[in-house]
């Protein structure tokens, strides 16, 4: 049985060292893979974090290798399997894992965008429940859909939908958790819609913004130009770097959680020359303490219309609306194309029965079958996309109504419980 | 803010009237659909339950019609959208819905089993959070994969996997709920593996077994031969009927929940002649009270090996193991077939370039493309199935280890908190 925070002694303190890395472990495709995984294992072995959370470990064999290598400092480990290729998520823990679960995102790109391949992975959020020093700790690890073009981001709606599902999953599964920790590659910049939605809905705090001592690249970038594996053209709109990997946390009222230090690698291996991945590793030291509540650090909320939560829920609902319109357009288009393919097949059958020009019929048979089947598959896919987006939009609409009701009843518009007082808050990013 | 059970007065009592029906609302296919939906609406309007939970409402238009018709007695309603066709799940509530979420099952049959069509639906579990009389009530509604043949049930593994995901979803999302209610068409008989897994892991109790006053068909059957819409050949192994629709519930320790009455229709409309659906409707009156804990109703557990939970977890793990072996076999088979199709295409290309017999090449082109694409799709599908089954098997394995640890530490093997004392327990079914 886990003690509730109320029963713990006032001088209680829990220190938690967390490691997060998108490990860029893609068989046959990513450079120096075996060497990097070996060095990652050595580093994790040496540092002995409480938790090491990894994304993009696409090779289960590599996970099993790491598991063997890390068996002493991290006796508990889990690999989250999903989709066709996998979720790429795994975790190594110094402490026993009490419970495991996962949620695979409903929408994750398009199967015909083969060169982007996200659809073939089962992008997901993994959940581990740990019991530490009498506290229930819910640890989440995730990786959202990649952003291939900032100017024309065709996956924006799906990423916002994923951010909402992530927020919902955390909200519903962490109701009895004393401490919530989310690490991962969100593929979103700090001010992006999905990132704001996630933070406002769950009340999670950003370790980079809250760290008392931050050591790492300017603005906390987690993909930097100095990293030899980063393609410079991918960073072209942001020549110095981007911040898309996060450590986020919160604690129940009555517990204070603070980020003592956050270290981010700077394009090099922390101890050697070449980096561990094309992403930078995040290493956070969190401290959980117990004591009477202090003044809330949240800025005072303005009138109803200005509430951050209702605003971001409205924005997300609007983005979902645009996505639904696009999905419906594609469904209709693919429906007509399927009909055309079927019509062509019927005509070819009539021609064949009527002993018409058989060579023409044979030549057109394949394209007609291809059109009917291909467009049919696209039709079904976009039907599924529409249903998924409509479901999420309805949930957003409901959350918005409830948030408004809460605001009308009192001055506190946040759905999420207020996190404990944070120390050493850093300035908000621009 | 919701009061905790501990703060409520001892004479507190909550009465909850719940309606559940698989409504067999399939556009173009099910008989007397419009008339049945109209009569269902009239009945729900007249009876004014606290909650009406429906499955197989495949037409969103029918849901919207019911929503309009039931707006006064049931001001809150939600339709759960998912998959290509939908989940078919919806709910009408007399009380405001505080939160909404859903989980779509990872595995739900096979896309090439078009005549069974389950894959095209997004079979799911819907969650509603209600706040009633100071209690948090988590209401779940679900519909699992159909069983088309009891003798040769090719969907057994998927249904067990769904039962596990359902149990996990309830377990992780109901940790702060005072009362948990699950209604739906589980497509499982009471002693089926998935049903036992669900009950043992979550601690949910079966309203039919616990009802103080049961009125309905023999053995609580929810598909009976008297129902004119039931095809008698579907019931052939069970000539009198089967029980596959359930009302299950539990409450946190300190609260007592009991089923005062459970009424099940008997193949006829409760007030008129023709039935509302091919399934029978369940109408339960539940009573939640507050008071000191009474003696546990659970049977004493024997030695470690005999624990119901560990036994059922082992059985489920074994079933998943068989499913994984089958999925891997199909993956390999489809992989070879895809290779064969691609090889044929290469040969045809070589023939075409070498000016070989063009008519043969043209004739074989379509089947080769079809083989490569069709087998490729089957390959990808079974890769996905394998990943999904492996993920669930790993979760089962972990739960089994934890259940064993709990047993080793003490006499209480149940993961789920013990439900409150039940009154008027009925005998277990055979």
């Amino acid at each position: 049985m886990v003690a509730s925070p109320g029963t713990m002694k006032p001088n209680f303190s829990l220190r938690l060292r967390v490691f997060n890395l998108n490990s860029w472990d893609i068989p046959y495709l990513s450079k120096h893979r075996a060497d990097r995984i070996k060095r990652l294992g050595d580093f994790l072995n040496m540092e002995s974090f409480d938790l090491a959370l990894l994304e993009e470990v696409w090779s289960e064999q590599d996970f099993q290798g790491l598991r063997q290598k890390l068996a002493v400092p991290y006796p508990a480990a889990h690999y989250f399997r999903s989709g066709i290729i996998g979720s790429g998520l795994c975790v190594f823990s110094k402490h026993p894992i009490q419970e495991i679960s996962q949620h695979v995102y409903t929408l994750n790109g398009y199967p015909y965008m083969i060169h982007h391949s996200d659809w073939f992975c089962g992008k997901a959020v993994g959940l581990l429940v740990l019991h530490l020093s009498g506290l229930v700790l819910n640890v989440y690890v995730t990786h959202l859909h990649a952003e291939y073009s900032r100017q024309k981001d065709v996956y924006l709606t799906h990423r916002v939908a994923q951010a909402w599902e992530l927020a919902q999953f955390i909200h519903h599964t962490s109701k009895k958790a004393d401490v919530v920790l989310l690490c991962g590659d969100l593929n979103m910049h700090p001010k992006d819609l999905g990132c704001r939605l996630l933070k406002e809905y769950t009340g999670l705090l950003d370790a980079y913004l809250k760290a008392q001592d931050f050591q790492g690249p300017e603005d906390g970038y987690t993909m930097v130009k100095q990293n030899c594996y980063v393609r410079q053209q991918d960073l072209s709109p942001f020549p110095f770097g981007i911040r898309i990997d996060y450590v986020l946390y919160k604690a129940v009222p009555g517990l204070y959680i603070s980020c003592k230090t956050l270290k981010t690698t700077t394009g090099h291996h922390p101890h050697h020359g070449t980096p561990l991945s094309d992403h930078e590793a995040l290493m956070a030291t969190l401290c959980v303490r117990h004591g009477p509540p202090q003044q809330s650090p949240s800025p005072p909320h303005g009138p109803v219309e200005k509430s951050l939560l209702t605003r971001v829920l409205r924005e997300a609902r609007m983005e979902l609306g645009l996505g639904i319109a696009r999905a419906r357009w594609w469904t209709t288009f693919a429906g007509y194309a399927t009909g055309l393919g079927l019509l062509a097949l019927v005509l070819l059958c009539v021609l064949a029965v009527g002993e018409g020009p058989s060579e023409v019929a044979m030549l057109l048979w394949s394209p007609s079958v291809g059109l009917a089947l291909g467009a049919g598959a696209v039709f079904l896919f976009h039907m599924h996309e529409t249903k998924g987006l409509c479901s999420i939009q309805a949930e957003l609409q409901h959350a918005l109504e409830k948030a408004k009701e809460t605001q009308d009843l009192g001055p506190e518009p946040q759905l999420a419980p207020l996190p404990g007082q944070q120390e050493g808050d850093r300035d908000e990013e621009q």
Side-chain angles (χ1 to χ4, degrees), chain A residues 214-290:
Chain A
F214 172 72
Q215 295 169 33
E218 187 191 353
D219 290 332
Y221 296 143
T222 61
M223 284 195 91
V224 295
K225 64 171 180 176
Q226 289 84 0
N227 188 308
C228 61
Y229 298 127
V230 171
R231 293 191 309 169
Q232 298 306 313
Q233 63 263 41
D234 290 348
L235 286 184
S236 56
F238 305 94
F240 297 107
I242 54 176
R243 188 158 82 88
I244 57 174
D245 302 85
Y246 297 84
V247 172
L248 303 166
Y249 57 78
K250 71 172 181 180
V252 287
L255 281 179
Y256 303 143
I257 183 164
S258 56
C259 181
K260 293 291 177 199
T261 62
L262 178 69
K263 280 189 198 175
T264 303
T265 52
T266 54
H268 311 285
H269 184 285
H271 298 162
H272 307 85
T274 37
L276 289 172
S277 167
D278 60 345
H279 285 242
E280 301 309 315
L282 301 172
M283 289 160 279
T285 304
L286 305 174
C287 184
V288 185
R289 288 189 296 113
H290 182 237

Side-chain angles (χ1 to χ4, degrees), chain A residues 56-60 79-89 102 104 108 117-124 143:
Chain A
E56 285 211 15
V57 181
W58 299 117
S59 155
E60 188 164 347
Y79 190 66
F80 294 95
R81 295 165 189 88
S82 65
I84 293 163
I85 296 172
S87 72
L89 306 171
Q102 68 181 49
V104 183
N108 187 37
S117 78
D118 289 63
W119 185 84
F120 295 88
C121 317
K123 292 280 175 79
H143 185 194

Side-chain angles (χ1 to χ4, degrees), chain A residues 5 15 24 35 63 77 94 100 132 148 182-183 192 214 242 248 251 275 293 305 307 329 355 368 379 401 426:
Chain A
R15 195 165 155 271
W24 193 44
D35 175 58
F63 165 74
K94 188 188 275 186
I100 297 169
L132 289 184
Y148 295 95
L182 165 64
C183 294
D192 284 359
F214 172 72
I242 54 176
L248 303 166
E305 295 74 23
S307 144
W329 187 90
E355 291 176 18
S368 303
F379 172 77
E401 283 162 18
R426 296 165 56 84

Side-chain angles (χ1 to χ4, degrees), chain A residues 298-424:
Chain A
S298 297
H301 285 280
V304 176
E305 295 74 23
K306 286 187 180 169
S307 144
L308 289 172
L309 178 63
T310 52
R311 201 193 304 165
V312 75
L313 283 169
R314 264 198 215 102
E315 268 184 73
R317 186 186 57 179
M318 194 185 293
E319 179 56 40
L320 268 284
L322 295 173
I324 290 167
R326 276 192 299 269
R328 285 196 171 131
W329 187 90
W330 277 105
T331 309
T332 310
F333 178 77
Y336 281 121
T338 311
L340 196 70
L342 291 172
L343 188 70
L345 283 176
V346 170
L347 284 175
L348 290 175
C349 287
V350 170
L351 268 178
V353 169
E355 291 176 18
S358 68
E359 283 215 354
V360 174
M362 277 172 71
L363 263 177
L364 290 177
W365 183 255
S366 282
S368 303
V369 170
L371 182 64
L373 288 181
V378 173
F379 172 77
L380 291 181
F381 175 80
H382 285 290
M383 282 273 283
H384 171 264
E385 186 193 19
T386 310
K387 279 276 193 300
L389 291 173
C390 283
S391 160
I392 289 167
Q393 198 194 38
E395 285 180 15
L396 281 166
Q397 175 63 30
H398 185 267
L400 189 56
E401 283 162 18
K402 286 292 153 187
K404 276 186 202 160
E405 271 176 31
T406 317
Q407 279 179 295
D408 292 345
L409 289 173
E412 184 44 69
Q414 275 194 300
L415 270 183
L418 269 177
Q421 171 70 30
Q422 306 310 310
E423 295 161 20

Side-chain angles (χ1 to χ4, degrees), chain A residues 16-23 25 40 44 49-60 62-71 73-81 87-102 124-130 132 137-142 181-184:
Chain A
L16 210 60
R17 289 184 65 234
V18 181
F19 176 90
N20 178 76
L21 176 68
N22 176 322
S23 64
D25 174 16
L40 172 63
L44 292 178
F49 294 95
D50 290 284
L51 284 161
L53 302 141
L54 305 179
E55 301 92 52
E56 285 211 15
V57 181
W58 299 117
S59 155
E60 188 164 347
D62 285 351
F63 165 74
Q64 297 298 353
L66 281 173
R67 181 179 210 162
Q68 276 194 326
K69 188 169 183 170
L70 303 175
Y74 307 88
H78 188 73
Y79 190 66
F80 294 95
R81 295 165 189 88
S87 72
L89 306 171
C90 66
V91 63
F92 298 93
S93 169
K94 188 188 275 186
H95 313 283
I97 298 169
Q98 299 302 323
E99 297 176 11
I100 297 169
S101 189
Q102 68 181 49
V125 46
L127 161 63
L128 308 169
V129 180
L130 307 182
L132 289 184
L137 176 64
N138 272 30
V139 182
Y140 301 86
V141 58
T142 195
L181 178 67
L182 165 64
C183 294

